Amino acid sequence: MNGQPLTEQAPAAALRLGTRRSALAMAQSGMVAREVTRLTGRPVELVEITTYGDTSREALAQIGGTGVFVSALRDALLEGRIDFAVHSLKDLPTAAPEGLVLAAVPEREDARDALVAAEGLTLDELVEKLAGAGRAARIGTGSPRRMAQLNAWARARGAQLETVAIRGNVDTRIGYVTGGELDAVVLATAGLNRLGRGAEISQHLDPELMTPAPGQGALAIECATADADLTAALAALDHAPTRVAVAAERALLATLEAGCSAPVAALATWSPENELQLDGVVGDPDGAALLKMSANGPIVLDETAEQQARALGHALAARLLDAGAAALMGERAR
């Protein structure tokens, strides 16, 4: 010892993570925060931000779902009020914002939709039981995509089913069922799992019946392009197969020029041979017409993988447009 006092190293400054205030957004952001702390050794502070989509009571299809849950978070990033943000990837507009980078897409949760029904009944059981009681099953959802596919399923089977437009958080939506106002609601499996509410799922809806939204089940971690050190640190959370799969789905959505409130579905899945299969669905909300197409191709997970995946998405979207997808959507977006 030389008699000089020991100097304590100052604790690392906390990183500020921007998140929406909903229980689901907070749960998702909390998961990411813990991983970032584990990787960097730095504490992470959650900064709650209210978005337009959180405050508006209008249906998402009316306010234009694209970006309504994202813009306020992106503004906070660009203004330096937060260091990074966590989004549900399905909420992200397909156009890349200037000054921001998608630093990581963690491994995807279950992409399927889930039915939460009275008495834990499956869709078939619910429809059959209520038909015996002389009425249609009333199923709530805020998504034109889900409405289109539920109504198409019912039309194909001659089943009695009424889709009811709803909004609200998970508690509110499930409350419509427990309170007897609706017979069932359809929610994302990933959200229920992240909230620890997977046990309330009556049925996981097969993607053949209900193809999910592009990017459903995946998270997006975004930060400022100028923050190269943080971008590099967050990249450790990236899961290449998920990033490439959602790139294909989002390319399809972008080529259709459809917002996230349009009745468009897409799911890319990997085969054991590293072949990516992309399923795309476009319909009208009443289910009178539903276009379903698929495309597949081998993709090598190298620096060109996202470009290859986007090409697959563009090609499938072009086929859907040739088959009349634009007329079914009712709008070519924004």
Side-chain angles (χ1 to χ4, degrees):
M1 300 283 296
N2 60 8
Q4 296 296 319
L6 295 175
T7 57
E8 290 188 11
Q9 190 171 0
L15 290 166
R16 300 161 299 167
L17 190 167
T19 177
R20 291 171 55 202
R21 296 175 183 268
S22 74
L24 176 56
M26 294 291 286
Q28 293 174 166
S29 296
M31 290 165 41
V32 172
R34 289 188 290 275
E35 283 298 298
V36 172
T37 296
R38 182 183 64 80
L39 284 168
T40 65
R42 295 177 65 178
V44 176
E45 168 195 353
L46 297 188
V47 179
E48 299 177 24
I49 293 174
T50 301
T51 70
Y52 179 64
D54 295 316
T55 57
S56 173
R57 299 273 60 89
E58 296 177 83
L60 289 183
Q62 293 175 324
I63 61 177
T66 305
V68 297
F69 294 118
V70 173
S71 296
L73 287 163
R74 285 181 162 174
D75 289 344
L77 267 176
L78 291 168
E79 293 163 11
R81 290 184 280 122
I82 57 175
D83 299 303
F84 65 113
V86 174
H87 313 281
S88 290
L89 199 142
K90 67 182 178 62
D91 293 335
L92 280 190
T94 53
E98 189 172 348
L100 300 179
V101 62
L102 185 56
V105 179
E107 186 170 4
R108 191 179 213 163
E109 239 279 11
D110 193 326
R112 293 174 296 177
D113 282 304
L115 186 77
V116 178
E119 302 175 34
L121 299 175
T122 66
L123 183 58
D124 283 305
E125 291 167 345
L126 183 68
V127 168
E128 183 178 350
K129 177 180 179 178
L130 294 178
R135 70 174 180 89
R138 301 183 75 240
I139 301 180
T141 173
S143 162
R145 168 190 63 83
R146 290 171 177 149
M147 285 186 177
Q149 294 181 90
L150 280 172
N151 288 328
W153 177 89
R155 282 174 178 268
R157 287 158 182 75
Q160 291 182 279
L161 188 151
E162 177 190 353
T163 53
V164 180
I166 58 172
R167 280 209 62 186
N169 60 26
V170 170
D171 279 334
T172 299
R173 294 182 188 215
I174 293 178
Y176 290 131
V177 179
T178 56
E181 296 172 69
L182 295 173
D183 301 303
V185 291
V186 179
L187 300 164
T189 294
L192 291 167
N193 285 347
R194 287 172 180 146
L195 286 169
R197 302 185 69 166
E200 295 176 64
I201 295 172
S202 305
Q203 179 187 6
H204 293 286
L205 298 176
D206 190 286
E208 183 62 30
L209 184 162
M210 178 72 69
T211 305
Q216 184 163 306
L219 298 178
I221 304 175
E222 204 168 43
C223 68
T225 308
D227 195 341
D229 290 342
L230 182 57
T231 300
L234 292 174
L237 297 177
D238 197 62
H239 184 250
T242 297
R243 181 185 277 262
V244 172
V246 299
E249 297 164 12
R250 285 166 58 77
L252 179 143
L253 187 67
T255 306
L256 293 174
E257 297 180 5
C260 65
S261 61
V264 174
L267 179 64
T269 53
W270 290 94
S271 76
E273 296 77 29
N274 274 353
E275 186 167 86
L276 193 66
Q277 173 164 319
L278 177 63
D279 299 315
V281 178
V282 177
D284 55 2
D286 68 6
L290 204 66
L291 273 177
K292 291 188 174 187
M293 292 185 178
S294 298
N296 58 70
I299 292 183
V300 179
L301 286 174
D302 60 15
E303 65 277 0
T304 69
E306 283 186 79
Q307 183 180 343
Q308 297 172 59
R310 284 192 289 268
L312 190 69
H314 294 321
L316 183 56
R319 287 171 50 206
L320 286 164
L321 288 170
D322 286 344
L328 286 183
M329 289 187 294
E331 60 178 45
R332 295 288 299 282
R334 301 179 280 271

